[in-house]
């Protein structure tokens, strides 16, 4: 072998040095790596797999057909796995349990070294299978089994972050519009908002959380309800960016200026929505790429025999844009009319 001759070692030593096996001195590893680089040598993945007993591939099974959440997670996973020359096989189950089991069998037949399971919501789900022969890590979803490892965004912390930001911009009459109550994310984001307001001696404008759908149409309807229930409102925190965009449209149609009269904060940092919002939307970012990176790092550790079960909550961050700009000194919110009174939806 050319690399062995140039480095002055045996072919077996070259194999061990390039694959991180055996007891070889750092100096020998350095000589082999330099020789391989000079000759442009690329180790054969199949041969490396035979030596290590691994395929150097992992599977990623997702229920997120649109890719809104799974693509950033995949990109983060590839960032973590790429330096180790590990490939990712993406399988879309389309939220179909039978299709998911089919892909699980296919991945195991291909002898993947591990599997990441992800989705478009954090609600607990049944484990992908019993007695799976390779490590499994859940990301952006969580297994109901305490023996599994799940990584999810910290939705409660995200709700706190959004509400603290509104308070820091001088808003004190803050409402919250979000998705269905059946979603854990809706409940946790609302809890974060109410907890932060309570710490400041405040309650939600309108008297309660407005639960509905993850849609612009619901945002428009709920904004009208909120204006009727609390005409002096000066801030709105929305459970996702689609709702926020509907709220922004409704406020504009009602003659209420964002952010001069009412500041607006969303959740998700879906850029195609947030940047097209009028004005551009301040929003909570779940840091999905970092979540994917962390999930892949935990999977690599599990493949090496270092596995810690449980649920890990990763912090969210805030992306500040025009919709929550602080009010100028002495400026107060003045309703542009006298809406009739109504009862907010619960």
């Amino acid at each position: 072998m050319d690399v062995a001759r140039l480095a002055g070692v045996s072919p077996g030593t070259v194999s061990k040095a390039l694959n991180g096996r055996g007891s070889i001195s750092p100096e020998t590893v350095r000589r082999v790596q330099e020789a391989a680089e000079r000759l442009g040598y690329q180790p054969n993945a199949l041969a490396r797999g035979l030596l290590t007993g691994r395929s150097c591939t992992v599977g990623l099974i997702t229920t997120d057909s649109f890719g809104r959440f799974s693509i950033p997670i995949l990109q983060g996973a590839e960032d973590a796995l790429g330096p180790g020359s590990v490939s990712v096989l993406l399988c879309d189950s389309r939220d179909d349990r039978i299709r998911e089991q089919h892909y699980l069998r296919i991945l195991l037949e291909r002898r993947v070294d591990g599997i990441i399971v992800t989705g478009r919501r954090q609600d607990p789900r049944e484990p992908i299978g019993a007695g799976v022969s390779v490590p499994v890590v859940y990301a952006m979803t969580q297994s109901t089994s305490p023996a599994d490892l799940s990584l999810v965004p910290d939705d409660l912390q995200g709700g706190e972050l959004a509400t603290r930001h509104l308070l820091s911009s001088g808003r004190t009459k803050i409402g919250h519009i979000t998705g269905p109550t059946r979603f854990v994310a809706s409940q946790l984001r609302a809890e974060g908002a109410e907890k932060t307001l309570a710490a400041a001696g405040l309650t939600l404008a309108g008297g309660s959380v407005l639960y509905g759908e993850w849609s612009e149409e619901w945002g428009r309807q709920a904004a009208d309800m909120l204006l009727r229930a609390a005409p002096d409102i000066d801030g709105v925190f929305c459970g996702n960016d689609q709702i926020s965009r509907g709220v922004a449209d409704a406020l504009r149609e009602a003659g209420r200026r964002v952010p001069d009269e009412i500041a607006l904060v969303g959740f998700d940092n879906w850029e195609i929505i947030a940047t097209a919002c009028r004005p551009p939307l301040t929003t909570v970012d779940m840091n999905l790429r970092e979540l994917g990176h962390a999930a892949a790092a935990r999977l690599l550790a599990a493949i090496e025999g270092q596995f810690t079960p449980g649920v890990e909550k990763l912090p969210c961050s805030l992306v500040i844009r025009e919709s929550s700009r602080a009010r100028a000194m002495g400026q107060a919110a003045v309703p542009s009319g006298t809406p009739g009174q109504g009862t907010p939806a619960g």
Side-chain angles (χ1 to χ4, degrees):
M1 175 189 280
D2 293 339
V3 173
R5 282 196 298 270
L6 184 58
V9 299
S10 70
T13 299
V14 169
S15 176
K16 292 177 182 178
L18 294 179
N19 290 288
R21 294 168 59 85
S23 300
I24 304 173
S25 70
E27 173 60 24
T28 300
V29 172
R30 182 187 63 78
R31 290 208 321 272
V32 171
Q33 290 174 339
E34 288 178 352
E37 186 175 346
R38 283 183 58 186
L39 294 171
Y41 172 75
Q42 295 292 328
N44 181 276
L46 179 59
R48 184 169 62 242
L50 291 172
L51 283 168
T52 62
R54 295 179 184 167
S55 65
C56 298
T57 58
V58 301
L60 191 150
I61 300 178
T62 179
T63 61
D64 176 26
S65 300
F66 298 104
R68 164 68 188 95
F69 303 107
S70 60
I71 288 177
I73 288 173
L74 172 63
Q75 291 171 333
E78 288 182 327
D79 289 344
L81 298 170
S85 300
V86 178
S87 301
V88 182
L89 303 178
L90 176 62
C91 302
D92 177 14
S93 72
R94 304 179 194 176
D95 220 0
D96 182 327
R97 184 70 174 175
I98 295 175
R99 186 182 293 268
E100 182 179 81
Q101 290 302 301
H102 165 73
Y103 281 130
L104 175 61
R105 288 193 298 271
I106 293 296
L107 291 173
L108 294 176
E109 287 171 4
R110 287 176 176 257
R111 300 176 63 84
V112 295
D113 299 321
I115 296 172
I116 296 173
V117 179
T118 187
R120 61 177 179 267
R121 54 181 176 267
Q122 299 95 303
D123 296 62
R125 51 153 293 161
E126 291 297 313
I128 195 169
V132 178
S133 58
V134 297
V136 178
V137 172
Y138 296 79
M140 188 61 189
T141 187
Q142 54 183 299
S143 169
T144 54
S145 171
D148 288 329
L149 172 61
S150 307
L151 286 78
V152 295
D154 191 338
D155 284 298
L156 189 145
Q157 177 259 346
E160 293 174 339
L161 190 64
T163 310
R164 279 200 304 270
H165 174 68
L166 286 169
L167 291 171
S168 71
S169 70
R171 320 295 167 151
T172 57
K173 302 175 181 65
I174 300 168
H176 182 42
I177 301 170
T178 192
T181 55
R182 67 179 182 274
F183 286 97
V184 171
S186 297
Q187 299 170 25
L188 290 174
R189 293 168 193 178
E191 182 183 347
E194 292 183 300
K195 179 180 175 182
T196 303
L197 288 173
L202 301 170
T203 58
L204 281 170
S208 64
V209 178
L210 297 180
Y211 289 102
E213 299 300 323
W214 301 114
S215 69
E216 291 184 37
E217 178 59 29
W218 166 239
R220 287 189 286 270
Q221 294 174 9
D224 182 64
M225 296 176 189
L226 197 53
L227 287 174
R228 292 175 180 277
D232 59 347
I233 191 169
D234 60 10
V236 182
F237 165 41
C238 298
N240 80 348
D241 292 344
Q242 289 170 282
I243 293 173
S244 298
R245 188 165 175 177
V247 170
D249 290 345
L251 293 177
R252 186 168 57 252
E253 290 166 6
R256 305 297 291 272
R257 294 169 298 161
V258 177
D260 296 332
E261 293 181 48
I262 301 175
L264 184 62
V265 176
F267 206 108
D268 287 347
N269 194 30
W270 191 355
E271 289 199 12
I272 194 171
I273 298 290
T275 57
C277 189
R278 296 173 54 196
L281 181 66
T282 292
T283 178
V284 176
D285 194 322
M286 293 185 288
N287 298 323
L288 295 179
R289 190 159 184 155
E290 290 80 357
L291 184 71
H293 190 285
R298 302 295 189 280
L299 185 63
L300 286 175
I303 292 169
E304 295 292 338
Q306 302 169 18
F307 181 81
T308 304
V311 177
E312 291 187 27
K313 294 187 176 182
L314 278 66
C316 301
S317 59
L318 189 70
V319 179
I320 299 176
R321 298 188 179 94
E322 183 68 14
S323 71
S324 65
R325 186 188 66 236
R327 188 183 290 137
M329 292 295 293
Q331 182 183 12
V334 179
S336 302
T338 308
Q341 297 300 306
T343 302

